[in-house]
Amino acid sequence: MYSSITEANAAVLEKVKDARPYWVDVAAAGDVIPWLKEGRHLLHAGPQIVWQDMTGPMQGACISACLFEGWADTDTQAEKMLENGEISFSPCHHHNAVGPMGGITSVNMPVVVVENKTDGNYAYCNLNEGIGKVMRFGAYGEEVQQRLHWMREELMPVLKDALAKTEKGIDIGAIMAQGITMGDEFHQRNIATSSLLLRTLAPYIASCDLPKDVMSRVFNFLSITDQFFLNLAMAFCKCAMDAGATVKAGSIVTAMTRNGKDFGIRVSGLGDQWFTAPVNTPEGLYFTGYSQEQANTDIGDSAITETYGIGGAAMVAAPGVTRFVGVGGVDVALDVSEEMAEIYVEQNSLLQIPSWNFQGACIGLDIRSVVETGITPVINTGIAHKEAGIGQIGAGTVRAPLACFEKALEQLAAEMGIIAESE
């Protein structure tokens, strides 16, 4: 169908760039992901993994989900259920979904529903819980449960009603185009876009028939949750990259994800196959009282942002985040993005970066360029404590392992009948 990989890649990127993901709804996960209703099932971040291989934060999030769903009354009981194989697992990516950190999503948890208005495909992501003791970083205590239930019982209905009052949902890309000029890179920094989103939502929320105390709690939560937009950015990127994946040709990476054990990628010309290698451990800055020795290995579906070409690849858009993740200053941010430009095919006109002389953010991560240069994607990430129940202890950066890209390129060459010459 395509005369060359380059031609196929151009077709993939045309689909990605033409995608117009809108936030159209908030729903219980089981209402949009039917598999979750078939039993005691949980979605998780990364390629497929079993309970025994999960690291502490993911196991802690599983315990939290069991308590939230009422499958267990205590964390001990929940852990026993999980150890006995009473809960089934599946990757978020297998269900048009993504989830930050542990990515654990259960049937009654609220998820954002994002629709690509161009192609009609959907993507889902659970709601951002804010900061402090949160499930996505492996905490499962009473504070976590209270917040999860409030989000299900109060926040979800308000957001659902507000979105129903919009004409066709909220154009996520339009908000991102503004946010990148205001210092966001959409992985570690979403302060501007979260604020822009609240400004967009506010009139619709205000027009809902709500008790004053409910409206106050919702506005307060949205106003202090600086990373609320992250989950929407993840769903946006998933929607766009899934559109590109329908081309089924070329060497463009359509997903990058981590489960704490394995880092996995998918490639446009290789369908739904995962190519995996052991994950690395993030390095960065730590909250008082914590250190690198306590850091969990790399985890989460949020690397879908770097797959699209933002996050770590767009560090130059958010030089302020470099200090937060412990990698230096403005010069380092520029160096990172310049380096990333060597392994991405194009630049994205939707996301023009003032501090990069209005060049567009990177787009189109090419496995050929990664293997040829040896340059692997830089990912901005939160850092969880390696033990369950503690939560986030810092933030930093991590590199994707080169072996994933080498395996994928070897497979792509084999399927195309290309035989590498021996040295």
Side-chain angles (χ1 to χ4, degrees):
M1 182 177 179
Y2 299 101
S3 61
S4 66
I5 292 178
T6 299
E7 184 179 314
N9 287 349
V12 172
L13 292 182
E14 183 177 3
K15 295 287 284 184
V16 173
K17 290 185 291 184
D18 284 349
R20 288 295 176 266
Y22 277 63
W23 183 20
V24 296
D25 198 7
V26 177
D31 290 340
V32 291
I33 303 170
W35 179 79
L36 288 172
K37 285 189 171 181
E38 295 176 9
R40 289 180 171 176
H41 294 170
L42 294 176
L43 301 184
H44 64 75
Q48 188 77 52
I49 193 170
V50 296
W51 166 259
Q52 289 76 12
D53 290 337
M54 292 178 182
T55 57
M58 189 177 285
Q59 288 191 341
C62 290
I63 292 170
S64 192
C66 290
L67 295 170
F68 171 76
E69 294 294 343
W71 299 338
D73 296 324
T74 66
D75 55 322
T76 302
Q77 184 182 356
E79 189 168 1
K80 185 175 181 180
M81 291 174 62
L82 290 155
E83 289 174 347
N84 291 340
E86 297 176 40
I87 311 297
S88 298
F89 298 101
S90 183
C92 292
H93 272 287
H94 292 187
H95 302 271
N96 304 317
V98 280
M101 299 310 291
I104 301 302
T105 307
S106 62
V107 61
N108 286 305
M109 288 180 184
V111 295
V112 299
V113 179
V114 172
E115 178 189 5
N116 175 9
K117 297 290 186 178
T118 305
D119 296 300
N121 61 301
Y122 288 83
Y124 315 105
C125 185
N126 48 16
L127 291 174
N128 193 283
E129 305 157 83
I131 59 174
K133 292 282 188 179
V134 291
M135 180 191 69
R136 68 183 184 277
F137 281 97
Y140 51 79
E142 183 59 28
E143 178 185 342
V144 177
Q145 294 303 310
Q146 288 179 358
R147 189 177 310 190
L148 289 174
H149 281 282
W150 174 78
M151 293 173 72
R152 161 69 181 175
E153 294 156 15
E154 196 163 277
L155 180 62
M156 181 176 78
V158 172
L159 293 176
K160 189 178 190 72
D161 288 351
L163 288 165
K165 293 177 181 296
T166 65
E167 184 177 348
K168 57 178 181 179
I170 292 176
D171 185 345
I172 304 172
I175 293 178
M176 291 171 69
Q178 290 179 281
I180 204 163
T181 69
M182 300 166 68
D184 281 2
E185 42 74 60
F186 313 114
H187 195 160
Q188 270 303 321
R189 192 180 193 278
N190 287 279
I191 298 173
T193 39
S194 295
S195 300
L196 291 168
L197 181 67
L198 177 55
R199 187 182 72 172
T200 304
L201 277 174
Y204 299 108
I205 295 174
S207 68
C208 294
D209 184 16
L210 298 170
K212 188 174 181 180
D213 61 331
V214 172
M215 190 176 296
S216 177
R217 284 191 291 271
V218 168
F219 273 124
N220 182 64
F221 178 79
L222 294 176
S223 70
I224 65 172
T225 306
D226 292 342
Q227 283 287 72
F228 189 83
F229 191 84
L230 168 61
N231 299 49
L232 286 165
M234 289 172 59
F236 171 97
C237 295
K238 172 65 173 169
C239 226
M241 297 315 301
D242 279 358
T246 61
V247 173
K248 300 185 183 302
S251 57
I252 299 298
V253 178
T254 56
M256 291 195 293
T257 185
R258 320 88 98 199
N259 60 25
K261 177 177 180 284
D262 296 314
F263 191 109
I265 68 169
R266 282 174 166 175
V267 178
S268 57
L270 297 169
D272 292 337
Q273 298 177 70
W274 288 109
F275 298 89
T276 65
V279 297
N280 295 317
T281 300
E283 296 182 1
L285 293 182
Y286 292 87
F287 303 155
T288 302
Y290 298 103
S291 64
Q292 181 69 40
E293 289 69 33
Q294 296 165 306
N296 194 69
T297 47
D298 195 20
I299 190 169
D301 287 334
S302 55
I304 193 67
T305 55
E306 281 81 8
T307 311
Y308 182 75
I310 50 180
M315 196 95 79
V316 68
V321 86
T322 59
R323 289 295 177 92
F324 180 61
V325 298
V327 296
V330 176
D331 56 336
V332 175
L334 175 60
D335 289 345
V336 169
S337 291
E338 292 283 1
E339 182 188 36
M340 292 300 98
E342 296 186 43
I343 57 175
Y344 287 79
V345 175
E346 296 180 13
Q347 290 177 304
N348 189 350
S349 60
L350 176 68
L351 303 176
Q352 296 182 33
I353 303 173
S355 52
W356 210 11
N357 199 26
F358 289 94
Q359 293 183 90
C362 298
I363 193 168
L365 179 59
D366 190 341
I367 58 171
R368 298 177 302 170
S369 297
V370 173
V371 174
E372 180 183 1
T373 63
I375 298 170
T376 53
V378 172
I379 298 165
N380 287 345
T381 186
I383 303 175
H385 197 288
K386 60 187 177 183
E387 295 178 12
I390 295 176
Q392 184 176 11
I393 61 172
T397 60
V398 68
R399 291 268 184 173
L402 181 61
C404 296
F405 302 90
E406 293 174 331
K407 290 178 182 178
L409 187 58
E410 289 172 0
Q411 182 64 30
L412 184 63
E415 294 195 8
M416 296 181 67
I418 299 172
I419 302 174
E421 296 183 3
S422 58
E423 294 184 0

